[in-house]
mmCIF file of all heavy atoms in Angstrom:
data_model
loop_
_atom_site.group_PDB
_atom_site.id
_atom_site.type_symbol
_atom_site.label_atom_id
_atom_site.label_comp_id
_atom_site.label_asym_id
_atom_site.label_seq_id
_atom_site.Cartn_x
_atom_site.Cartn_y
_atom_site.Cartn_z
ATOM 1 N N GLY A 88 -12.191 -80.697 -7.998
ATOM 2 C CA GLY A 88 -13.457 -80.893 -7.530
ATOM 3 C C GLY A 88 -13.706 -80.558 -6.139
ATOM 4 O O GLY A 88 -14.838 -80.627 -5.583
ATOM 5 N N GLY A 89 -12.598 -80.225 -5.392
ATOM 6 C CA GLY A 89 -12.709 -79.917 -4.030
ATOM 7 C C GLY A 89 -13.048 -78.490 -3.716
ATOM 8 O O GLY A 89 -13.223 -77.715 -4.666
ATOM 9 N N SER A 90 -13.023 -78.136 -2.489
ATOM 10 C CA SER A 90 -13.470 -76.826 -2.016
ATOM 11 C C SER A 90 -12.328 -76.237 -1.242
ATOM 12 O O SER A 90 -11.473 -77.018 -0.692
ATOM 13 C CB SER A 90 -14.668 -76.797 -1.130
ATOM 14 O OG SER A 90 -15.806 -77.251 -1.891
ATOM 15 N N HIS A 91 -12.269 -74.859 -1.201
ATOM 16 C CA HIS A 91 -11.174 -74.265 -0.431
ATOM 17 C C HIS A 91 -11.569 -72.866 -0.099
ATOM 18 O O HIS A 91 -12.318 -72.235 -0.815
ATOM 19 C CB HIS A 91 -9.898 -74.307 -1.277
ATOM 20 C CG HIS A 91 -8.597 -74.166 -0.493
ATOM 21 N ND1 HIS A 91 -8.149 -75.093 0.408
ATOM 22 C CD2 HIS A 91 -7.665 -73.114 -0.459
ATOM 23 C CE1 HIS A 91 -7.076 -74.735 0.940
ATOM 24 N NE2 HIS A 91 -6.731 -73.652 0.515
ATOM 25 N N ARG A 92 -11.056 -72.370 0.995
ATOM 26 C CA ARG A 92 -11.400 -70.980 1.472
ATOM 27 C C ARG A 92 -10.111 -70.206 1.716
ATOM 28 O O ARG A 92 -9.183 -70.670 2.376
ATOM 29 C CB ARG A 92 -12.165 -70.978 2.658
ATOM 30 C CG ARG A 92 -12.649 -69.585 3.071
ATOM 31 C CD ARG A 92 -13.625 -69.552 4.254
ATOM 32 N NE ARG A 92 -12.917 -69.392 5.548
ATOM 33 C CZ ARG A 92 -13.494 -68.919 6.619
ATOM 34 N NH1 ARG A 92 -14.667 -68.587 6.615
ATOM 35 N NH2 ARG A 92 -12.732 -68.962 7.769
ATOM 36 N N LEU A 93 -10.097 -69.025 1.102
ATOM 37 C CA LEU A 93 -9.013 -68.101 1.348
ATOM 38 C C LEU A 93 -9.417 -66.952 2.201
ATOM 39 O O LEU A 93 -10.598 -66.623 2.289
ATOM 40 C CB LEU A 93 -8.555 -67.470 0.011
ATOM 41 C CG LEU A 93 -8.093 -68.507 -1.086
ATOM 42 C CD1 LEU A 93 -7.695 -67.746 -2.337
ATOM 43 C CD2 LEU A 93 -6.946 -69.308 -0.585
ATOM 44 N N THR A 94 -8.526 -66.481 3.003
ATOM 45 C CA THR A 94 -8.720 -65.341 3.955
ATOM 46 C C THR A 94 -7.805 -64.196 3.664
ATOM 47 O O THR A 94 -6.555 -64.438 3.356
ATOM 48 C CB THR A 94 -8.587 -65.827 5.311
ATOM 49 O OG1 THR A 94 -9.538 -66.826 5.669
ATOM 50 C CG2 THR A 94 -8.805 -64.760 6.357
ATOM 51 N N CYS A 95 -8.318 -62.989 3.749
ATOM 52 C CA CYS A 95 -7.508 -61.855 3.683
ATOM 53 C C CYS A 95 -7.778 -60.966 4.893
ATOM 54 O O CYS A 95 -8.927 -60.617 5.247
ATOM 55 C CB CYS A 95 -7.895 -61.088 2.447
ATOM 56 S SG CYS A 95 -6.991 -59.493 2.303
ATOM 57 N N SER A 96 -6.682 -60.797 5.692
ATOM 58 C CA SER A 96 -6.809 -60.084 6.947
ATOM 59 C C SER A 96 -6.186 -58.712 6.714
ATOM 60 O O SER A 96 -5.109 -58.496 6.156
ATOM 61 C CB SER A 96 -5.904 -60.796 8.066
ATOM 62 O OG SER A 96 -6.366 -62.135 8.198
ATOM 63 N N ALA A 97 -6.970 -57.729 7.211
ATOM 64 C CA ALA A 97 -6.649 -56.240 7.042
ATOM 65 C C ALA A 97 -6.259 -55.602 8.311
ATOM 66 O O ALA A 97 -6.808 -56.000 9.409
ATOM 67 C CB ALA A 97 -7.758 -55.639 6.304
ATOM 68 N N SER A 98 -5.367 -54.736 8.215
ATOM 69 C CA SER A 98 -5.005 -53.911 9.468
ATOM 70 C C SER A 98 -4.597 -52.413 9.046
ATOM 71 O O SER A 98 -4.333 -52.159 7.889
ATOM 72 C CB SER A 98 -3.849 -54.587 10.186
ATOM 73 O OG SER A 98 -2.760 -54.628 9.391
ATOM 74 N N GLY A 99 -4.660 -51.647 10.022
ATOM 75 C CA GLY A 99 -4.154 -50.279 9.713
ATOM 76 C C GLY A 99 -5.118 -49.249 9.313
ATOM 77 O O GLY A 99 -4.794 -48.098 9.377
ATOM 78 N N SER A 100 -6.322 -49.587 9.089
ATOM 79 C CA SER A 100 -7.273 -48.652 8.693
ATOM 80 C C SER A 100 -8.666 -49.074 8.873
ATOM 81 O O SER A 100 -8.929 -50.225 9.229
ATOM 82 C CB SER A 100 -6.987 -48.170 7.245
ATOM 83 O OG SER A 100 -7.820 -47.101 6.880
ATOM 84 N N THR A 101 -9.725 -48.341 8.576
ATOM 85 C CA THR A 101 -10.962 -48.675 8.780
ATOM 86 C C THR A 101 -11.467 -49.610 7.660
ATOM 87 O O THR A 101 -11.711 -49.123 6.508
ATOM 88 C CB THR A 101 -12.014 -47.487 8.929
ATOM 89 O OG1 THR A 101 -11.408 -46.663 10.067
ATOM 90 C CG2 THR A 101 -13.371 -47.884 9.271
ATOM 91 N N PHE A 102 -11.513 -50.854 7.899
ATOM 92 C CA PHE A 102 -11.699 -51.775 6.825
ATOM 93 C C PHE A 102 -13.044 -51.618 6.102
ATOM 94 O O PHE A 102 -13.201 -51.714 4.872
ATOM 95 C CB PHE A 102 -11.714 -53.233 7.460
ATOM 96 C CG PHE A 102 -11.870 -54.374 6.375
ATOM 97 C CD1 PHE A 102 -10.847 -54.540 5.541
ATOM 98 C CD2 PHE A 102 -12.901 -55.140 6.467
ATOM 99 C CE1 PHE A 102 -10.971 -55.595 4.563
ATOM 100 C CE2 PHE A 102 -13.096 -56.163 5.619
ATOM 101 C CZ PHE A 102 -12.196 -56.429 4.547
ATOM 102 N N ARG A 103 -14.073 -51.219 6.824
ATOM 103 C CA ARG A 103 -15.466 -51.125 6.244
ATOM 104 C C ARG A 103 -15.488 -50.048 5.203
ATOM 105 O O ARG A 103 -16.396 -50.006 4.465
ATOM 106 C CB ARG A 103 -16.470 -50.838 7.325
ATOM 107 C CG ARG A 103 -16.383 -49.595 7.986
ATOM 108 C CD ARG A 103 -17.494 -49.431 8.985
ATOM 109 N NE ARG A 103 -17.477 -48.143 9.614
ATOM 110 C CZ ARG A 103 -16.745 -47.832 10.800
ATOM 111 N NH1 ARG A 103 -16.110 -48.862 11.326
ATOM 112 N NH2 ARG A 103 -16.777 -46.681 11.246
ATOM 113 N N ARG A 104 -14.572 -49.162 5.118
ATOM 114 C CA ARG A 104 -14.567 -48.020 4.195
ATOM 115 C C ARG A 104 -14.130 -48.413 2.720
ATOM 116 O O ARG A 104 -14.170 -47.700 1.795
ATOM 117 C CB ARG A 104 -13.660 -46.897 4.730
ATOM 118 C CG ARG A 104 -14.281 -46.250 5.879
ATOM 119 C CD ARG A 104 -13.278 -45.147 6.402
ATOM 120 N NE ARG A 104 -13.678 -44.464 7.594
ATOM 121 C CZ ARG A 104 -13.021 -43.596 8.275
ATOM 122 N NH1 ARG A 104 -11.883 -43.222 7.858
ATOM 123 N NH2 ARG A 104 -13.563 -43.031 9.336
ATOM 124 N N TYR A 105 -13.547 -49.679 2.661
ATOM 125 C CA TYR A 105 -12.868 -50.036 1.464
ATOM 126 C C TYR A 105 -13.798 -51.035 0.730
ATOM 127 O O TYR A 105 -14.426 -51.939 1.213
ATOM 128 C CB TYR A 105 -11.522 -50.795 1.733
ATOM 129 C CG TYR A 105 -10.563 -49.895 2.290
ATOM 130 C CD1 TYR A 105 -10.490 -49.552 3.687
ATOM 131 C CD2 TYR A 105 -9.570 -49.242 1.496
ATOM 132 C CE1 TYR A 105 -9.517 -48.651 4.117
ATOM 133 C CE2 TYR A 105 -8.604 -48.356 1.972
ATOM 134 C CZ TYR A 105 -8.618 -48.135 3.282
ATOM 135 O OH TYR A 105 -7.624 -47.249 3.797
ATOM 136 N N THR A 106 -13.722 -50.914 -0.659
ATOM 137 C CA THR A 106 -14.082 -52.091 -1.503
ATOM 138 C C THR A 106 -13.036 -52.973 -1.486
ATOM 139 O O THR A 106 -11.860 -52.542 -1.724
ATOM 140 C CB THR A 106 -14.586 -51.465 -2.913
ATOM 141 O OG1 THR A 106 -15.654 -50.811 -2.825
ATOM 142 C CG2 THR A 106 -14.645 -52.659 -3.890
ATOM 143 N N VAL A 107 -13.284 -54.253 -1.330
ATOM 144 C CA VAL A 107 -12.213 -55.230 -1.297
ATOM 145 C C VAL A 107 -12.501 -56.260 -2.372
ATOM 146 O O VAL A 107 -13.616 -56.540 -2.821
ATOM 147 C CB VAL A 107 -12.107 -55.857 0.075
ATOM 148 C CG1 VAL A 107 -11.455 -54.932 1.102
ATOM 149 C CG2 VAL A 107 -13.422 -56.272 0.624
ATOM 150 N N ALA A 108 -11.442 -56.847 -2.829
ATOM 151 C CA ALA A 108 -11.595 -57.824 -4.002
ATOM 152 C C ALA A 108 -10.426 -58.825 -3.957
ATOM 153 O O ALA A 108 -9.441 -58.805 -3.251
ATOM 154 C CB ALA A 108 -11.464 -57.039 -5.260
ATOM 155 N N TRP A 109 -10.770 -59.879 -4.711
ATOM 156 C CA TRP A 109 -9.735 -60.982 -5.021
ATOM 157 C C TRP A 109 -9.409 -60.907 -6.536
ATOM 158 O O TRP A 109 -10.254 -60.805 -7.360
ATOM 159 C CB TRP A 109 -10.301 -62.273 -4.678
ATOM 160 C CG TRP A 109 -10.532 -62.575 -3.263
ATOM 161 C CD1 TRP A 109 -11.658 -62.514 -2.426
ATOM 162 C CD2 TRP A 109 -9.455 -62.923 -2.266
ATOM 163 N NE1 TRP A 109 -11.397 -62.790 -1.130
ATOM 164 C CE2 TRP A 109 -10.014 -63.063 -1.001
ATOM 165 C CE3 TRP A 109 -8.167 -63.319 -2.427
ATOM 166 C CZ2 TRP A 109 -9.361 -63.481 0.102
ATOM 167 C CZ3 TRP A 109 -7.428 -63.706 -1.231
ATOM 168 C CH2 TRP A 109 -8.014 -63.818 -0.031
ATOM 169 N N PHE A 110 -8.136 -61.039 -6.781
ATOM 170 C CA PHE A 110 -7.638 -61.210 -8.081
ATOM 171 C C PHE A 110 -6.733 -62.512 -8.119
ATOM 172 O O PHE A 110 -6.340 -62.883 -7.035
ATOM 173 C CB PHE A 110 -6.718 -60.003 -8.515
ATOM 174 C CG PHE A 110 -7.562 -58.844 -8.787
ATOM 175 C CD1 PHE A 110 -8.035 -57.979 -7.827
ATOM 176 C CD2 PHE A 110 -7.825 -58.443 -10.162
ATOM 177 C CE1 PHE A 110 -8.783 -56.866 -8.142
ATOM 178 C CE2 PHE A 110 -8.469 -57.209 -10.468
ATOM 179 C CZ PHE A 110 -8.964 -56.465 -9.482
ATOM 180 N N ARG A 111 -6.405 -62.997 -9.233
ATOM 181 C CA ARG A 111 -5.505 -64.193 -9.273
ATOM 182 C C ARG A 111 -4.564 -63.958 -10.586
ATOM 183 O O ARG A 111 -4.931 -63.331 -11.532
ATOM 184 C CB ARG A 111 -6.311 -65.417 -9.289
ATOM 185 C CG ARG A 111 -7.067 -65.708 -10.590
ATOM 186 C CD ARG A 111 -7.879 -67.055 -10.491
ATOM 187 N NE ARG A 111 -8.554 -67.258 -11.693
ATOM 188 C CZ ARG A 111 -9.437 -68.267 -11.964
ATOM 189 N NH1 ARG A 111 -9.585 -69.132 -10.828
ATOM 190 N NH2 ARG A 111 -10.053 -68.516 -13.074
ATOM 191 N N GLN A 112 -3.522 -64.673 -10.461
ATOM 192 C CA GLN A 112 -2.521 -64.678 -11.566
ATOM 193 C C GLN A 112 -2.019 -66.058 -11.814
ATOM 194 O O GLN A 112 -1.271 -66.567 -10.749
ATOM 195 C CB GLN A 112 -1.453 -63.656 -11.334
ATOM 196 C CG GLN A 112 -0.514 -63.445 -12.488
ATOM 197 C CD GLN A 112 0.294 -62.151 -12.444
ATOM 198 O OE1 GLN A 112 0.404 -61.610 -11.399
ATOM 199 N NE2 GLN A 112 0.862 -61.742 -13.554
ATOM 200 N N ALA A 113 -2.242 -66.715 -12.851
ATOM 201 C CA ALA A 113 -1.655 -67.923 -13.167
ATOM 202 C C ALA A 113 -0.427 -67.785 -13.801
ATOM 203 O O ALA A 113 -0.082 -66.713 -14.374
ATOM 204 C CB ALA A 113 -2.670 -68.809 -14.028
ATOM 205 N N PRO A 114 0.467 -68.802 -13.748
ATOM 206 C CA PRO A 114 1.774 -68.664 -14.408
ATOM 207 C C PRO A 114 1.622 -68.418 -15.930
ATOM 208 O O PRO A 114 0.905 -69.011 -16.641
ATOM 209 C CB PRO A 114 2.352 -70.155 -14.294
ATOM 210 C CG PRO A 114 1.595 -70.713 -13.052
ATOM 211 C CD PRO A 114 0.219 -70.160 -13.182
ATOM 212 N N GLY A 115 2.436 -67.323 -16.255
ATOM 213 C CA GLY A 115 2.458 -66.919 -17.616
ATOM 214 C C GLY A 115 1.251 -66.096 -18.116
ATOM 215 O O GLY A 115 1.067 -65.782 -19.349
ATOM 216 N N LYS A 116 0.382 -65.761 -17.249
ATOM 217 C CA LYS A 116 -0.830 -65.088 -17.498
ATOM 218 C C LYS A 116 -0.880 -63.800 -16.689
ATOM 219 O O LYS A 116 -0.233 -63.590 -15.742
ATOM 220 C CB LYS A 116 -2.064 -65.925 -17.220
ATOM 221 C CG LYS A 116 -2.195 -67.186 -18.134
ATOM 222 C CD LYS A 116 -3.556 -67.915 -17.950
ATOM 223 C CE LYS A 116 -3.705 -69.078 -18.954
ATOM 224 N NZ LYS A 116 -4.947 -69.706 -18.685
#
Side-chain angles (χ1 to χ4, degrees):
S90 298
H91 204 66
R92 189 175 86 157
L93 303 180
T94 299
C95 177
S96 300
S98 63
S100 188
T101 307
F102 182 67
R103 66 178 183 273
R104 295 179 180 173
Y105 293 84
T106 291
V107 285
W109 290 97
F110 287 78
R111 68 184 182 183
Q112 188 165 17
K116 295 187 177 181

